[in-house]
């Protein structure tokens, strides 16, 4: 198969060129800048299109096993394929929790039989996510996990976190930390500030995240074990990470598309699709996150895709669950940041391709000849509005409903096979 006449974008190899790509036996066979010899083989006319490595979303909740009415491995993979995401890393807070190899094996076997894209499970740091006893990381690694995280919960006990860093590193497993000081945030439902007071909603102060960011940075410095901080939301968190990187602390981090594009103002209408943890912050925070992404302080963008059923979100703001879906709006959101800032296309795309691959130690995220042919083709000019009808996920709780985007995924290829084509 040939993909012809595209703008080829490969952040890992620093490639931004017009040309053709040859795919053979599920692998990238070659890239031909300026075009290839004529061939009778099957070809995709990609004039005017952009071709990139399939996206890697390193923070997804697939709700399977246990909450399949919200999402399951099959529906989550449909949404991923439609979003140009060819690898998903799914968190451990299922029911049962993925804290032992039998749950890991269930996810991997289920993905093999029903998923359109590659699914890589994350194992729990602690048994049942309770933060008291370390999980069976080694056995789960053998069964196929690629990282550990108690996401959904913070690891509150610093001593356990320190042991977890040592233990995870012996198996080469990156640790993904959800930074939240619980006593400071436990009753909150949105960002703490003048707006939360005005709306009569209890707040979650930025410092509840920043305290845990500081602790994790100190633990990483102390143990010399890398740590990855997920879904950072405040300017101060980024300043802490930036300083730590300068000091040589092995820290990496990600942010979500909703924290890059939206602010607490979205909560003014009490729309529960604007409720997630961490909460949407201020415009000053949002701008700092965008700058952090453009300047490489933020390594990755990940969705924290968190499906919830309509009747669960149809509650008062105080009572509705935290979390929003994001797989199908990841790429359009990144393109919006690129177009608005008119720079850094390869850097921005690196945040969803080669950077997560490097941090997780997995293959993929590039178009290097010989590597897996996971490819996303987009029409960069297509203007469209994201509506419920677009959503392939079982749940519809997106904060981007009604949002106008420029740039649309039109075809997604996994190991040389088309798994999504825009109709
Ligand atoms: Zn989290
Ligand atoms: Zn999460």
């Amino acid at each position: 198969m040939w993909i012809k006449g595209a703008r080829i974008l490969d952040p890992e190899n620093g490639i931004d060129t017009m040309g053709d790509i040859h795919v053979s036996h599920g692998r990238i066979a070659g890239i031909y800048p300026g075009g290839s010899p004529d061939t009778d083989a099957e070809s995709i006319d990609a004039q005017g299109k952009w071709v990139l490595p399939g996206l890697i979303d390193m923070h997804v909740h697939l709700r399977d096993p246990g909450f399949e009415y919200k999402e399951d491995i099959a529906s989550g993979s449909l949404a991923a394929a439609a979003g140009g995401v060819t690898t998903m890393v799914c968190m451990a807070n299922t029911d049962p929790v993925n804290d032992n190899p039998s749950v890991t094996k269930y996810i991997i076997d289920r993905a093999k039989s029903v998923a359109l894209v590659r699914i890589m499970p994350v194992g729990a740091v602690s048994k049942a996510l309770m933060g008291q006893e370390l999980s069976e990381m080694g056995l789960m690694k053998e069964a196929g996990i690629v990282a550990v995280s108690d996401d959904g919960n913070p690891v509150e006990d610093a001593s356990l976190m320190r042991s977890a860093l040592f233990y995870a590193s012996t198996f080469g497993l990156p640790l993904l930390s959800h930074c939240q000081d619980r006593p400071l945030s436990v009753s909150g439902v949105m960002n703490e500030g003048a707006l939360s007071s005005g709306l009569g909603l209890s707040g979650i102060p930025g410092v509840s995240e920043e305290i845990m960011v500081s602790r994790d940075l100190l633990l990483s410095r102390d143990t010399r074990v890398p740590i990855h901080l997920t879904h950072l939301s405040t300017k101060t968190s980024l300043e802490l990470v930036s300083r730590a990187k300068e000091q040589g602390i092995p820290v990496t981090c990600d942010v979500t598309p909703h924290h890059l594009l939206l602010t607490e103002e979205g909560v003014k209408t009490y729309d529960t699709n604007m409720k997630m943890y961490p909460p949407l912050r201020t415009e000053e925070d949002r701008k700092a996150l965008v700058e952090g992404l453009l300047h490489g302080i933020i390594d990755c963008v990940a969705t924290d895709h968190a499906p919830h059923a309509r009747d669960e979100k149809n509650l008062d703001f105080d009572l509705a669950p935290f979390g929003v879906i994001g797989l199908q709006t990841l790429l359009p959101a990144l393109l919006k940041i690129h177009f608005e800032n008119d720079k850094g296309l390869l850097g921005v795309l690196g945040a969803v391709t080669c950077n997560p691959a490097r941090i997780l130690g997995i293959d993929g995220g590039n178009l290097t000849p010989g590597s897996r042919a996971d490819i996303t083709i987009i029409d960069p000019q297509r203007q469209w509005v994201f509506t419920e009808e677009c959503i392939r996920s079982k749940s519809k709780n997106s904060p981007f409903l009604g949002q106008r985007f420029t740039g649309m995924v039109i075809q997604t290829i996994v190991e040389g096979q088309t798994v999504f084509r825009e109709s």
Side-chain angles (χ1 to χ4, degrees):
M1 180 175 73
W2 289 80
I3 303 168
K4 288 184 153 279
R7 179 180 178 189
I8 302 168
L9 294 152
D10 179 4
E12 176 152 317
N13 295 302
I15 292 172
D16 179 354
T17 183
M18 302 298 294
D20 298 351
I21 298 182
H22 182 204
V23 172
S24 175
H25 298 100
R27 303 258 146 192
I28 307 281
I31 290 184
Y32 298 84
S36 55
D38 270 340
T39 162
D40 295 333
E42 179 199 354
S43 69
I44 296 168
D45 177 11
Q47 299 276 346
K49 308 296 189 294
W50 293 358
V51 174
L52 9 146
L55 310 193
I56 298 171
D57 187 345
M58 69 184 297
H59 189 144
V60 173
H61 298 271
L62 286 178
R63 309 301 194 201
D64 185 352
F67 307 98
E68 292 88 345
Y69 66 96
K70 297 175 194 255
E71 191 82 288
D72 59 29
I73 287 170
S75 65
S77 91
L78 276 175
V85 173
T86 57
T87 298
M88 272 191 291
V89 175
C90 61
M91 289 296 167
N93 63 340
T94 47
D95 183 18
V97 170
N98 185 16
D99 62 2
N100 68 79
S102 64
V103 178
T104 308
K105 198 168 170 317
Y106 162 79
I107 295 168
I108 285 181
D109 289 349
R110 187 83 190 130
K112 261 186 203 140
S113 65
V114 301
L116 298 171
V117 305
R118 194 158 60 142
I119 290 173
M120 302 188 136
V122 173
V125 167
S126 67
K127 287 188 179 162
L129 309 174
M130 296 295 284
Q132 287 170 352
E133 201 182 334
L134 292 179
S135 65
E136 299 165 2
M137 294 182 193
L139 294 176
M140 286 193 290
K141 161 102 183 186
E142 277 171 30
I145 63 165
V146 296
V148 289
S149 179
D150 270 1
D151 184 65
N153 292 346
V155 178
E156 292 184 272
D157 181 331
S159 166
L160 188 84
M161 186 63 146
R162 189 165 181 265
S163 305
L165 283 168
F166 282 129
Y167 195 48
S169 74
T170 62
F171 302 110
L173 288 166
L175 194 154
L176 319 177
S177 179
H178 161 121
C179 296
Q180 175 182 13
D181 181 273
R182 221 168 339 210
L184 275 171
S185 60
V186 70
S187 60
V189 296
M190 69 169 290
N191 183 48
E192 183 180 284
L195 188 60
S196 64
S197 306
L199 293 173
L201 294 171
S202 48
I204 301 172
V207 74
S208 68
E209 172 177 300
E210 293 143 8
I211 279 181
M212 281 303 228
V213 168
S214 304
R215 184 205 70 175
D216 283 354
L217 293 171
L218 290 171
L219 287 174
S220 175
R221 184 172 73 177
D222 174 57
T223 59
R224 297 168 200 257
V225 173
I227 194 159
H228 180 85
L229 310 179
T230 190
H231 57 48
L232 295 184
S233 70
T234 76
K235 183 181 178 186
T236 303
S237 289
L238 280 200
E239 286 168 358
L240 291 164
V241 167
S242 176
R243 215 173 307 144
K245 285 188 168 188
E246 281 166 22
Q247 292 168 359
I249 296 173
V251 58
T252 51
C253 67
D254 69 68
V255 297
T256 73
H258 42 273
H259 289 104
L260 287 167
L261 292 189
L262 305 172
T263 69
E264 60 177 2
E265 297 288 312
V267 179
K268 273 183 170 168
T269 57
Y270 299 94
D271 178 357
T272 57
N273 287 340
M274 298 288 171
K275 181 176 177 182
M276 72 290 288
Y277 187 87
L280 298 173
R281 302 289 187 186
T282 65
E283 178 63 8
E284 190 185 0
D285 291 309
R286 189 194 71 80
K287 278 193 181 140
L289 296 182
V290 171
E291 285 301 305
L293 176 64
L294 296 175
H295 292 102
I297 295 159
I298 293 166
D299 302 273
C300 305
V301 176
T303 62
D304 199 0
H305 178 83
H308 291 294
R310 201 184 294 274
D311 57 338
E312 294 171 315
K313 276 289 196 182
N314 261 347
L315 293 173
D316 284 347
F317 199 89
D318 278 333
L319 302 173
F322 290 90
V324 297
I325 59 169
L327 287 164
Q328 288 178 253
T329 43
L330 171 60
L331 191 60
L334 280 180
L335 291 177
K336 194 174 172 73
I337 287 162
H338 163 66
F339 290 132
E340 282 174 359
N341 295 279
D342 193 31
K343 69 173 203 181
L345 183 55
L346 282 184
V348 169
L349 293 174
V352 288
T353 55
C354 54
N355 294 355
R358 186 190 72 240
I359 290 162
L360 295 164
I362 61 175
D363 63 351
N366 60 58
L367 298 172
T368 309
S371 62
R372 289 166 52 97
D374 291 352
I375 295 169
T376 295
I377 306 177
I378 63 174
D379 179 344
Q381 264 143 20
R382 183 86 69 90
Q383 306 223 347
W384 60 295
V385 176
F386 186 68
T387 62
E388 277 202 13
E389 289 68 51
C390 306
I391 296 176
R392 297 284 170 273
S393 175
K394 278 190 188 176
S395 297
K396 315 294 176 195
N397 53 314
S398 168
F400 293 120
L401 287 170
Q403 177 101 36
R404 179 171 291 279
F405 288 113
T406 301
M408 179 186 255
V409 174
I410 56 165
Q411 190 164 351
T412 306
I413 296 167
V414 172
E415 273 193 273
Q417 302 292 319
T418 295
V419 294
F420 170 77
R421 190 178 275 126
E422 194 258 331
S423 51

